[in-house]
């Protein structure tokens, strides 16, 4: 037998726990049970507020005492629930018994039978999951993601005028600015954040197969649909009126798709930053005491971005699987969603870890302006586009007789480098106006960046 004590399987619960712990506040088993208790208690309070079956509304003190059960949910509560579930073999039934025990302690046994009244387990589960997912997004994931995008945006503004050689298909191309390229990433990510911020969190509250059957038998005169809509609103959710036993999970698939899209854009960014580092666009700032290689002392590896890529891929794998699985259910109910949803925190956790890595990685970078200038000065042939375009304009204006300007520049530049002096000599020999020649003589790769600088102002 191994001398090792019991070990966690997931690196999120071990090596990377410090970076993802805030997600556990919302998407752990304990957090799910706390949310289940909250839903059961709020339902009790709503039923008594409505004076159902002759009950009287609970006093403010009684309501506060019940809500304190949720606020005080701690390790003792976790352990007690585990003991109850060991007997019931049913997690939601264990929550019901846990709440009943609290009612007994508070002298509220007279309303004990309203606990879980008219509910199927999925009424509790779907609303509890919606609460925990919403809170995880709004309180943890979105602030971290927004801070990272703001960090990228700030770097874009700071480097808005820094000219840089573009590479299309890996080959030298029309120059840009480093800031504009960063702004493209920030712009893409912010679009996804806006989608995530506007996400609806739906809740189902309609009994065993979504038809209020037991509700109507117990109280035919009650407008149970209005009660359900009011209750889900009380939980901060949007009521889904048409469901089977389960809420259909379409909103979850939409959310996971949007987060997955964010992940993939960020993954693309990590890959580009890795290439920028390799190319010398960015220099890495050494961390005191850190080791880059076990055998090569000179190395500073871009590990933050490599780790982020891996974690973004893991996040997408989990979220994609959830989005695919959760939107299907056999007839009115099966249990495939039950096991799947227990991995929501894993998908969010890997994304949060990647976001943390990218933010730290960016903090350890410095722009290598000398290298950028060297690249530009070594690729004057990128001005071929500008020259042939000016010739075209000159010919249309009747100031040139050159046929097929593109072919003329292709002959000069395709497949080999052209220096400044060679290009100027070429321009001087062109059949174009003196004004056009002067404009082209003054052009350099570093100044041929179009409106890259101004486009930064489009970043919102």
């Amino acid at each position: 037998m191994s001398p090792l004590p019991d070990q966690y399987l997931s690196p999120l619960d071990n090596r990377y726990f410090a970076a993802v712990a805030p997600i556990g506040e919302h998407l752990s088993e304990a957090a799910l049970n706390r949310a289940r208790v909250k839903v059961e208690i709020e339902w009790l309070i709503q039923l008594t507020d409505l004076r159902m079956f002759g009950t009287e509304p609970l006093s403010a003190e009684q309501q506060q005492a019940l809500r304190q059960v949720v606020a005080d949910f701690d390790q003792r509560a976790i352990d007690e629930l585990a003991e109850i579930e060991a007997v019931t073999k049913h997690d939601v039934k264990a929550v019901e018994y846990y709440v009943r025990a609290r009612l007994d302690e508070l002298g509220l046994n007279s309303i004990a039978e309203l606990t879980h009244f008219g509910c199927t387990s999925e009424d509790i589960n779907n609303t509890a999951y919606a609460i925990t997912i919403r809170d995880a997004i709004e309180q943890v994931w979105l602030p971290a993601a927004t801070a990272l995008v703001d960090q990228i945006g700030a770097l874009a503004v700071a480097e808005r005028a820094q000219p840089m050689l573009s590479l299309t298909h890996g080959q030298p191309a029309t120059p840009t600015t480093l800031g504009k390229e960063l702004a493209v990433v920030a712009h893409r990510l912010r679009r996804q954040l806006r989608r995530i911020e506007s996400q609806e969190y739906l809740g189902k509250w309609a009994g065993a197969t979504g038809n209020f059957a037991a509700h109507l038998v117990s109280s035919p005169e009650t407008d149970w649909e209005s009660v359900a809509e009011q209750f889900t609103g009380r939980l901060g959710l949007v009521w889904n009126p048409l469901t089977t036993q389960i809420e259909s999970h379409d909103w979850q698939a939409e959310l996971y798709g949007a987060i997955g899209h964010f992940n993939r854009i960020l993954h693309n960014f990590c890959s580009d930053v890795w290439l920028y580092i390799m190319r010398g666009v960015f220099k890495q700032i050494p961390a005191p005491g850190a080791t880059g290689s076990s055998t090569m002392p000179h190395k500073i590896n871009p590990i933050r971005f490599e780790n982020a890529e891996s974690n973004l891929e893991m996040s997408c794998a989990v979220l994609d699987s959830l989005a695919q699985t959760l939107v299907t259910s056999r007839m009115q109910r099966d249990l495939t969603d039950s096991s799947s949803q227990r991995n929501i925190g894993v998908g969010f956790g890997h994304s949060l870890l990647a976001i943390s890595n990218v933010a730290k990685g960016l903090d350890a970078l410095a722009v290598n302006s000398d290298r950028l200038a060297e690249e530009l000065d070594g690729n004057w042939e990128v001005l071929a586009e500008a020259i042939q375009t000016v010739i075209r304009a000159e010919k249309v204006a009747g100031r040139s007789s050159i046929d097929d300007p593109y072919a003329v520049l292709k002959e000069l530049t395709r497949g080999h480098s052209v220096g400044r002096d060679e290009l100027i000599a070429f321009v001087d020999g062109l059949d174009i106006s003196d004004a056009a020649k002067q404009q082209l003589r003054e052009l350099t790769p570093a100044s041929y960046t179009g409106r890259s600088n101004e486009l930064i102002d489009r970043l919102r």
Side-chain angles (χ1 to χ4, degrees), residues 403-417:
D403 291 326
D404 198 353
Y406 180 90
V408 172
L409 270 298
K410 177 180 173 183
E411 180 69 23
L412 175 69
T413 61
R414 191 167 191 255
H416 58 89
S417 295

Side-chain angles (χ1 to χ4, degrees), residues 388-402 405 432:
Q388 64 98 4
T389 304
V390 169
I391 296 172
R392 286 171 182 260
E394 288 288 286
K395 185 164 184 179
V396 171
R399 295 190 291 266
S400 176
S401 60
I402 298 175
I432 57 176

Side-chain angles (χ1 to χ4, degrees), residues 169-227:
H169 310 278
Q171 305 303 305
T174 300
T176 183
T177 67
L178 177 57
K180 182 260 179 177
E181 300 309 303
L182 293 168
V184 169
V185 177
H187 176 65
R188 295 177 67 193
L189 292 173
R190 280 182 181 167
R191 285 191 69 248
Q192 298 314 308
L193 290 181
R194 287 193 288 271
R195 288 179 60 197
I196 294 166
E197 287 167 348
S198 65
Q199 176 67 50
E200 282 187 326
Y201 298 87
L202 303 187
K204 171 260 180 184
W205 196 262
T209 56
N211 303 321
F212 298 101
H215 302 71
L216 282 172
V217 168
S218 65
S219 181
E221 70 281 2
T222 299
D223 182 356
W224 287 106
E225 292 177 53
S226 295
V227 171

Side-chain angles (χ1 to χ4, degrees), residues 115-131:
T115 309
H116 204 70
F117 183 84
C119 298
T120 184
S121 295
E122 273 306 292
D123 288 334
I124 309 303
N125 278 337
N126 91 92
T127 48
Y129 269 116
I131 289 168

Side-chain angles (χ1 to χ4, degrees), residues 28-318:
S28 59
E29 183 78 9
L32 175 62
N33 277 328
R34 182 180 59 194
R36 286 165 166 163
V37 171
K38 173 184 175 72
V39 171
E40 295 277 16
I41 284 175
E42 290 300 328
W43 182 229
L44 274 170
I45 293 172
Q46 170 134 339
L47 290 174
T48 56
D49 280 350
L50 295 173
R51 301 176 186 272
M52 295 300 300
F53 312 108
T55 58
E56 290 294 322
L58 298 176
S59 68
E61 291 77 13
Q62 289 170 323
Q63 290 187 16
Q64 176 58 34
L66 280 174
R67 288 177 173 137
Q68 197 63 37
V69 171
V70 180
D72 291 343
F73 195 86
D74 58 7
Q75 188 61 50
R76 285 181 299 177
I78 294 169
D79 294 341
E80 181 179 343
L81 267 172
E83 291 172 5
I84 299 171
E85 188 179 345
V87 177
T88 63
K89 310 299 182 185
H90 194 290
D91 49 3
V92 177
K93 200 66 179 175
V95 169
E96 178 187 343
Y97 290 159
Y98 176 84
V99 172
R100 282 174 175 260
R102 304 290 82 74
L103 291 173
D104 184 50
E105 292 172 355
L106 294 170
L108 294 173
N109 278 328
S110 62
I111 62 169
E113 290 306 323
L114 290 182
T115 309
H116 204 70
F117 183 84
C119 298
T120 184
S121 295
E122 273 306 292
D123 288 334
I124 309 303
N125 278 337
N126 91 92
T127 48
Y129 269 116
I131 289 168
T132 58
I133 294 167
R134 178 200 64 205
D135 291 351
I137 287 290
E138 293 182 352
Q139 297 177 30
V140 181
W141 190 89
L142 261 177
T146 300
L148 174 61
V149 177
D150 288 346
Q151 184 180 5
I152 297 170
L155 186 57
V157 172
E159 301 298 332
R160 63 185 300 156
Q162 174 61 63
M164 179 176 76
L165 183 69
S166 293
L167 295 178
T168 61
H169 310 278
Q171 305 303 305
T174 300
T176 183
T177 67
L178 177 57
K180 182 260 179 177
E181 300 309 303
L182 293 168
V184 169
V185 177
H187 176 65
R188 295 177 67 193
L189 292 173
R190 280 182 181 167
R191 285 191 69 248
Q192 298 314 308
L193 290 181
R194 287 193 288 271
R195 288 179 60 197
I196 294 166
E197 287 167 348
S198 65
Q199 176 67 50
E200 282 187 326
Y201 298 87
L202 303 187
K204 171 260 180 184
W205 196 262
T209 56
N211 303 321
F212 298 101
H215 302 71
L216 282 172
V217 168
S218 65
S219 181
E221 70 281 2
T222 299
D223 182 356
W224 287 106
E225 292 177 53
S226 295
V227 171
E229 185 170 14
Q230 180 184 355
F231 179 65
T232 50
R234 183 182 199 135
L235 298 176
L237 308 176
V238 177
W239 181 51
N240 185 346
L242 289 168
T243 70
T244 59
Q245 184 176 97
I246 64 170
E247 201 286 320
S248 304
H249 305 321
D250 293 327
W251 70 264
Q252 288 194 50
E254 293 160 4
L255 175 64
Y256 304 151
I259 295 175
H261 197 156
F262 179 97
N263 285 345
R264 290 181 171 95
I265 295 169
L266 190 58
H267 187 286
N268 186 189
F269 176 64
C270 290
S271 299
D272 277 357
V273 172
W274 190 96
L275 290 168
Y276 285 146
I277 292 169
M278 182 186 73
R279 184 173 142 194
V281 171
F282 288 120
K283 294 183 289 188
Q284 297 183 92
I285 303 168
T291 298
S293 166
S294 63
T295 187
M296 293 175 281
H298 68 283
K299 293 186 71 180
I300 306 175
N301 294 332
I303 58 172
R304 293 290 184 186
F305 300 99
E306 293 172 343
N307 286 351
E309 286 187 44
S310 175
N311 280 288
L312 290 166
E313 290 164 11
M314 287 295 298
S315 176
C316 285
V318 173

